[in-house]
Amino acid sequence: MSTAPKTPFIARLYRRLHAQRRAAAGHFLRGLAYGAGLSAASALAYALRQLG
């Protein structure tokens, strides 16, 4: 059993997974910022309702 044919496949797979992980991290951070913005907006709306 030779490992030569597997090596390029593993290298390709690793590169693809690395790119997907970087994209997933970007999506996660964007979602986190969006969620934080929503919670800040809802907290502000709640505070305004309490004051008014």
Side-chain angles (χ1 to χ4, degrees):
M1 199 165 140
S2 174
T3 57
K6 286 184 180 174
T7 308
F9 172 74
I10 290 173
R12 253 201 329 262
L13 189 65
Y14 179 77
R15 277 197 301 266
R16 196 169 66 203
L17 283 175
H18 188 68
Q20 284 179 352
R21 195 170 57 205
R22 202 167 44 214
H27 289 312
F28 174 73
L29 290 176
R30 208 171 304 136
L32 204 62
Y34 181 71
L38 281 182
S39 61
S42 64
L44 185 62
Y46 177 77
L48 288 174
R49 266 200 309 253
Q50 293 302 311
L51 291 174

